[in-house]
Amino acid sequence: MTAGLTAAGAVLGLVRDQIMAGYFGAGTGTDAFLVAWTVPEFASTLLIEDAMALILVPAFSRALARRSSALSGDPVRALVRGTLPRIVLALGVAAVVLIVAAPLLVAALAPGLPDPGLAVDCTRLTGTCVLSFALVGYCSAALRAHGRFLPPAAIYVAYNAGIIGTILVLREPWGVRSAAAGVAVGGVLMVLVQAPSLLRELRTPRRTEPVAAAPASTGEGRILVLGLIAPVVAFSLCRQSQTLIERFLASPLPAGAISHLNYAQKVAQMPMILSLMLCTVSFPVVARALAAGDPEAARRRVERDLLLAAVVVLVGASTVIAAAPRIVELLFERGEFTGADTVSTAAVMRVYALGLLGQTMVGALVRCYFSAARPLWYPAAAMAAGLVTTAAAGVPGAHYWGAVGIAAANALGITLSAVLLLRGAHRQAVPVRVGHLGEGLLRLATASAWATGAGWLGQLAIGSSALAVAVAGLIVVGVFVLFIACAAKAPEIPPLPRSAFRRTPHARRHRAAPSAAEAAPVEAAPVGGDVPLDHGHR
């Protein structure tokens, strides 16, 4: 259900981009909006996906653990009273400062933008999400700590629905500003999706099993939180800053360059989103194995998941490269989005797809580093090295090849970060076999190259875009299946249907006694808050 809601949110995000392309095309207006879009992108990373969860999930887990032994009062409600007002005040002030300082922010992010005034207006509308996203992240962390996962998984469905609805209603009087207003509306809807579930949990607290661990003192807890959050925030900022570099370098280019980069990136990253969903859903298994003192079981699971994620993303990347112009034509070429925009976006998309395997490996490998509750700076250093590479290669790339050169620099930088993370993974809490993984990924990349060529040839003579994309995808999948089934020393990939079936209630009823990794209780949250922190209903 979580994966399904996440996929639905991603599909609605694609529909949102299609509506924007049809109504506003790829030009000065969309470039201005996408500069303002930087604010919700950063706010989402820090306040929903990473930092807020890392601070609050452990705090709520400790409060839940103390609930059974509390002599008076409810520790969870006390935590809410002590933290929520401060967070609302601090980030409310930050949102006001951002709205007031919007002209300075736009000048710093995109100094060559043709219409900075429009970007300032859009930034002031999107700036409201600093407060709303903070409330979203707070609710998500609290609900995950209580074992409630469906409301947090539905937030991006509500978010994108709010943006789409606002564009449809306000497009005529406001133009592209309606999309920025939709960000503000979507942020409120994300809060409303989760708030009722959290209020029910706070009104009717469930008694939980006490955790056999002495609670840390307040000072120790603060030190632990700061030590744990700093490396992860640094990693997230470095990873998200690649978008800043792209838009900074693209702002002096002809109008539409930022939009072409955005449309290409959103479509090309769909395979990465689907592949990382596999790792996200299976991450609790890895965490339980580590909690049970079984790093070997964790290693096996991580290696299988990495290879399976690589198959998913490479199949998608091969299809994107083979049929990029047909995909863009099918999705976007209508209304204000012209054939010239299709050609430019497809060229960028093909280059972006070269870095998809690196993007996926970074998202998956970082779990090996952050699965243990101790600060690790190596991932941030690896991302910083990739960021420097992106910037260094992007300057000449933008000068000589425009948006395509910027996309190539992005692919080069993220691939370097992935290689660095892979080389250092064997020394972490999950000691993966680097040589084994590297050999498997190389063989899968070889299959991807053959599949790309076969898919490209297969769709050349087909007139219909929809049929051409379908044929290219089928050919790519067929080549991969043949490779995995017949090639010598092909990586061993677990069948996805069997893996999914083993997690269903029917399969669990027919299993033997659970393994030590699965039976062990989870006493602390891994970084990212993916694991339930009490033993309530799932």
Side-chain angles (χ1 to χ4, degrees):
M1 290 297 296
T2 298
L5 285 170
T6 304
V11 170
L12 276 179
L14 181 60
V15 173
R16 174 201 69 209
D17 291 338
Q18 287 179 302
I19 291 174
M20 287 191 60
Y23 285 155
F24 311 122
T28 301
T30 51
D31 285 356
F33 167 74
L34 290 171
V35 171
W37 183 260
T38 305
V39 176
E41 284 180 327
F42 262 84
S44 173
T45 298
L46 294 178
L47 299 178
I48 298 177
E49 297 168 10
D50 288 331
M52 189 70 75
L54 292 172
I55 294 172
L56 290 175
V57 170
F60 273 103
S61 68
R62 289 192 294 269
L64 284 166
R66 293 196 300 269
R67 177 178 275 173
S68 298
S69 57
L71 298 178
S72 62
D74 183 357
V76 176
R77 294 177 182 173
L79 176 62
V80 172
R81 288 194 298 269
T83 56
L84 184 56
R86 297 177 184 179
I87 289 174
V88 170
L89 177 62
L91 291 171
V93 170
V96 171
V97 170
L98 179 62
I99 291 170
V100 172
L104 297 177
L105 180 63
V106 169
L109 291 177
L113 204 63
D115 191 353
L118 178 59
V120 169
D121 292 343
C122 292
T123 301
R124 284 175 169 156
L125 288 167
T126 60
T128 59
C129 74
V130 172
L131 177 58
S132 61
F133 281 18
L135 293 173
V136 172
Y138 192 97
C139 293
S140 296
L143 287 170
R144 286 171 181 165
H146 283 82
R148 297 279 193 172
F149 295 96
L150 294 188
I155 58 175
Y156 289 109
V157 174
Y159 178 59
N160 287 316
I163 296 176
I164 292 170
T166 305
I167 291 175
L168 296 177
V169 172
L170 299 179
R171 174 178 62 91
E172 288 298 334
W174 284 19
V176 77
R177 292 178 179 85
S178 62
V183 172
V185 173
V188 174
L189 292 180
M190 285 198 288
V191 177
L192 296 178
V193 164
Q194 299 184 101
S197 297
L198 180 58
L199 289 175
R200 283 195 297 270
E201 291 292 337
L202 296 177
R203 287 171 180 168
T204 58
R206 288 178 280 116
R207 309 300 290 182
T208 59
E209 297 291 333
V211 177
S217 67
T218 304
E220 292 173 346
R222 288 176 181 171
I223 293 172
L224 176 62
V225 167
L226 290 174
L228 186 63
I229 193 69
V232 183
V233 169
F235 169 82
S236 300
L237 286 175
C238 287
R239 189 175 183 184
Q240 192 63 38
S241 293
Q242 287 201 330
T243 302
L244 291 182
I245 291 176
E246 290 178 13
R247 290 175 184 167
F248 182 87
L249 293 175
S251 61
L253 297 178
I258 295 177
S259 300
H260 296 148
L261 285 165
N262 175 73
Y263 292 132
Q265 186 182 57
K266 293 295 172 59
V267 177
Q269 285 186 346
M270 290 294 289
M272 182 194 72
I273 294 171
L274 296 175
S275 64
L276 287 178
M277 211 181 295
L278 302 172
C279 299
T280 299
V281 173
S282 68
F283 188 54
V285 178
V286 177
R288 283 193 288 269
L290 291 175
D294 191 358
E296 182 63 20
R299 179 194 62 77
R300 289 195 301 268
R301 184 64 186 229
V302 166
E303 290 180 356
R304 291 199 315 162
D305 287 348
L306 283 170
L307 291 174
L308 185 57
V311 169
V312 174
V313 76
L314 286 174
V315 167
S318 296
T319 305
V320 166
I321 296 173
R326 302 299 187 90
I327 294 173
V328 178
E329 180 183 352
L330 178 65
L331 294 178
F332 298 122
E333 193 174 320
R334 58 184 63 88
E336 297 296 322
F337 198 92
T338 66
D341 293 324
T342 294
V343 173
S344 299
T345 303
V348 175
M349 187 187 300
R350 278 175 162 156
V351 178
Y352 260 133
L354 298 176
L356 283 183
L357 180 60
Q359 294 273 11
T360 299
M361 290 300 104
V362 167
L365 284 167
V366 76
R367 300 170 189 274
C368 301
Y369 291 86
F370 292 153
S371 56
R374 64 176 185 271
L376 296 167
W377 284 97
Y378 184 79
M383 283 305 305
L387 191 65
V388 171
T389 301
T390 298
V395 172
H399 178 73
Y400 290 107
W401 299 290
V404 173
I406 296 173
N410 178 290
L412 179 63
I414 198 64
T415 301
L416 174 64
S417 296
V419 170
L420 292 175
L421 288 174
L422 181 61
R423 286 183 60 85
H426 68 281
R427 297 190 299 268
Q428 306 312 315
V430 183
V432 299
R433 295 173 294 175
V434 174
H436 171 75
L437 274 177
E439 182 180 358
L441 292 173
L442 182 60
R443 294 179 183 278
L444 290 175
T446 302
S448 176
W450 285 102
T452 300
W456 176 73
L457 289 173
Q459 57 85 40
L460 279 178
I462 300 175
S464 168
S465 295
L467 183 58
V469 172
V471 169
L474 289 174
I475 292 174
V476 166
V477 172
V479 171
F480 261 95
V481 169
L482 286 174
F483 173 81
I484 294 173
C486 304
K489 297 184 178 179
E492 180 183 354
I493 308 297
L496 181 58
R498 185 180 68 189
S499 299
F501 173 77
R502 291 172 61 188
R503 305 306 303 162
T504 62
H506 172 76
R508 287 198 295 267
R509 285 196 300 269
H510 289 80
R511 290 178 65 186
S515 64
E518 293 171 332
V522 179
E523 297 184 359
V527 172
D530 291 317
V531 181
L533 297 170
D534 72 339
H535 299 281
H537 66 278
R538 300 289 187 265

